Structures are given as C-alpha cells and as structure tokens.
Amino acid sequence: MANKIVLADTSILIDLFRKSEKANSKFVQLALKGYEFQISAITEYEVYSGATTVQLPFWDDLLKKVKVLSFDKDVVKMAVSINNRLKQKRKQIDLADLFIAATALANNLAFATLNKKHFERIDDLKIIE
C-alpha cells in the first residue's frame, strides 16, 4: 500500500506516549493503515514544553523520525483566514490548535487528532479516522 502523509496533532503523540500497549494507540493504528506522519512546529513545542527530563529520550527518538513543518507565512495566512471564519460563527479555538490546523491546510494534508470537538469547526480540514 502506498503511504499517505497526515499531520498528527499533539493528542495523537501523547496518546502513543501514554499507552502501555502502543499497538492500541491511534498513532500505531494509522501507521498500520499506511499513514506516514508529519507534525507542526507548534506540536513540537507542545511536546517538548510538557516533557520531563525522564520523558525526553522517548520524544527525541520519536520526533527524529517525523518531519516537522514550519510555522511560515503560508501557515500564518491560513490561520488568519480560519480564525476570521470561526470568529464570525463565534466558534474560535485555542491559538495552538488554530496554528496546527492551519499547518495542515497550508500544506494540503489530512489531519489526525483525538480532539475532534474543536477541529470539526474548521470546514476544509479533512480529519481522518
């Protein structure tokens, strides 16, 4: 099966970290379906800012295998557009989530998350199961 690329939300990585049976994590389930993962620079920040010294080897090992996408001008423009639409509907989301979703859309990637409640508000975002 040809691999498909998906932007993984922070929740997908944390689920992998927390599961004692890694095979039960959404990350592994998606990998078995042929998905390859990329993450936003915002997710990298969230992971490392929440990690303890003991956890760092796990995150270092995982993140050296995953491409990290920059928070660049295209992502900024996309974030502004998404935020404006959400503001009109009075359904804004957390800035970190906004920036992560904008990264997926700016890079034309499907999105994997365990936090569908917020991300479903974004019309063009393709959330994979």
Side-chain angles (χ1 to χ4, degrees):
M1 169 189 331
N3 284 355
K4 303 160 278 204
I5 299 172
V6 63
L7 190 83
D9 180 35
T10 311
S11 64
I12 297 291
L13 302 184
I14 291 171
D15 178 59
L16 175 67
F17 175 77
R18 289 182 177 166
K19 293 269 198 252
S20 56
E21 280 294 324
K22 302 299 186 203
N24 293 332
S25 71
K26 190 69 169 174
F27 186 95
V28 171
Q29 291 169 5
L30 290 171
L32 291 173
K33 290 180 180 178
Y35 287 99
E36 290 183 0
F37 301 94
Q38 296 183 358
I39 64 169
S40 165
I42 306 304
T43 293
E44 182 179 39
Y45 166 78
E46 288 183 324
V47 163
Y48 279 122
S49 68
T52 66
T53 305
V54 173
Q55 297 169 346
L56 286 177
F58 173 87
W59 293 117
D60 288 341
D61 184 54
L62 178 65
L63 295 183
K64 71 181 164 190
K65 299 171 189 168
V66 176
K67 182 177 179 181
V68 178
L69 300 176
S70 298
F71 187 76
D72 60 16
K73 287 181 183 265
D74 291 335
V75 176
V76 169
K77 288 178 188 176
M78 184 63 68
V80 169
S81 175
I82 294 167
N83 191 54
N84 286 341
R85 283 181 272 158
L86 293 175
K87 195 185 301 185
Q88 288 175 345
K89 298 176 188 177
R90 298 181 194 256
K91 293 191 175 214
Q92 287 177 279
I93 60 175
D94 175 75
L95 278 180
D97 289 347
L98 173 68
F99 294 159
I100 292 168
T103 302
L105 288 172
N107 288 280
N108 297 312
L109 295 174
F111 187 64
T113 185
L114 297 176
N115 180 11
K116 293 179 189 165
K117 181 180 177 185
H118 288 159
F119 291 106
E120 286 177 334
R121 300 176 189 179
I122 302 169
D123 296 332
D124 300 329
L125 189 63
K126 182 184 177 207
I127 299 174
I128 60 166
E129 299 292 326

